[in-house]
Amino acid sequence: MKLAFSTLGVPGLPLPDVLRLAAEHGYHGVELRAHPEEPVHPGLDPARRADIAAEFKAAGVEVLGLAGYARVAAPGDDEPVVAEIRGLLELARDLGAPYVRVFPGGADGQSAEEADAVAARRLGTAAEHAADLGVRILLETHDSHRTGAAAMRVLGLVGHRHVGALWDVMHTWLGGEQPSETYAALSPYLGYVQVKDIASASDTTPLPLGAGVLPLAECVEVLSRHGWDGWLCWEYEKRWYEDAAPLPGLLTPGREHLGRLLNDSA
């Protein structure tokens, strides 16, 4: 498995510094938070996109994916959501990123059946554009669809190879799902896996990997047992928790911890 980290852990950090961190701490790739607060977002012009792609190539670091914020099950008109996804897909294509992350985003008062149908319709519409660009849309286990079983309801309706799943291990754990259950649900669709650690269900402040309660060893063991060899991406949510320890000093211990889990599972 290859290792990446998300720029959610280093809010606003210039890309040369992000690339330096990846190279110095032994990470193969970076997940880029695609937001106007960050150096990478869909508003970039073609020249800047080309420059960023060249910077990553020169550094020998891969752009794992773009973490977008489209909410595919949210109430309202389809077109703004589909347009947002298309913008992310085009940015991913320009940067050489294989994946775009979207959220479910179902609303309170919306039935599960309605949320599933809305999400599947929008993802199905965007899927052809994704296929044309050679990028996959990944629905993250999050908010209204935090378990693998819930995400699978949507993905089964879409039935398109360019729409898959992003497994966030915190949300499936909070949803009461065991890693073996999540893998069984998502394995036909799985793009990559976001790892992290927290103190408890009531305190989700990010911790160094291995310092909290999330079943990281079990997740890695399940993936290894089934021969899965994709990406593990550390999503350290520093942007939402200002008092969390800075990520740069944790990157090497985090990589070493994941390395131990991979060795133990082998």
Side-chain angles (χ1 to χ4, degrees), residues 83-248:
E84 184 176 356
I85 298 170
R86 286 176 174 155
L88 289 164
L89 290 169
E90 289 161 10
L91 178 60
R93 184 267 319 275
D94 293 343
L95 300 185
Y99 303 116
V100 160
R101 184 279 306 278
V102 299
F103 283 147
D108 293 340
Q110 191 182 31
S111 71
E113 293 78 11
E114 180 188 1
D116 293 349
V118 170
R121 184 175 68 242
R122 292 168 176 168
L123 289 168
T125 300
E128 291 304 318
H129 194 51
D132 290 342
L133 299 178
V135 180
R136 285 185 80 200
I137 306 165
L138 300 183
L139 179 67
E140 184 172 326
T141 55
H142 196 272
D143 54 75
S144 60
H145 292 67
R146 70 182 352 167
T147 63
M152 184 181 67
R153 295 197 314 262
V154 174
L155 298 173
L157 290 172
V158 178
H160 195 291
R161 63 188 181 88
H162 278 269
V163 178
L166 173 50
W167 177 6
D168 181 320
V169 302
M170 181 181 77
H171 284 281
T172 54
W173 180 79
L174 290 171
E177 206 170 53
Q178 296 298 314
S180 58
E181 296 172 326
T182 305
Y183 182 81
L186 296 184
S187 58
Y189 311 101
L190 190 56
Y192 63 97
V193 179
Q194 283 180 344
V195 296
K196 59 187 70 171
D197 222 340
I198 57 173
S200 68
S202 59
D203 182 2
T204 55
T205 304
L207 295 177
L209 294 180
V213 297
L214 293 184
L216 300 180
E218 293 90 331
C219 292
V220 171
E221 195 276 329
V222 166
L223 294 166
S224 296
R225 187 170 73 242
H226 288 91
W228 190 80
D229 62 354
W231 287 85
L232 300 178
C233 178
W234 186 4
E235 188 189 46
Y236 186 80
E237 298 186 343
K238 174 68 172 175
R239 173 62 183 84
W240 315 126
Y241 297 88
E242 291 185 11
D243 293 336
L247 177 62

Side-chain angles (χ1 to χ4, degrees), residues 38-90:
E38 301 293 341
V40 175
H41 55 81
L44 296 178
D45 63 37
R48 182 60 188 135
R49 296 177 185 212
D51 288 345
I52 291 170
E55 289 171 30
F56 271 85
K57 185 174 182 179
V61 177
E62 296 182 51
V63 183
L64 168 56
L66 301 182
Y69 289 88
R71 287 166 166 77
V72 295
D77 294 337
D78 287 357
E79 184 50 38
V81 180
V82 173
E84 184 176 356
I85 298 170
R86 286 176 174 155
L88 289 164
L89 290 169
E90 289 161 10

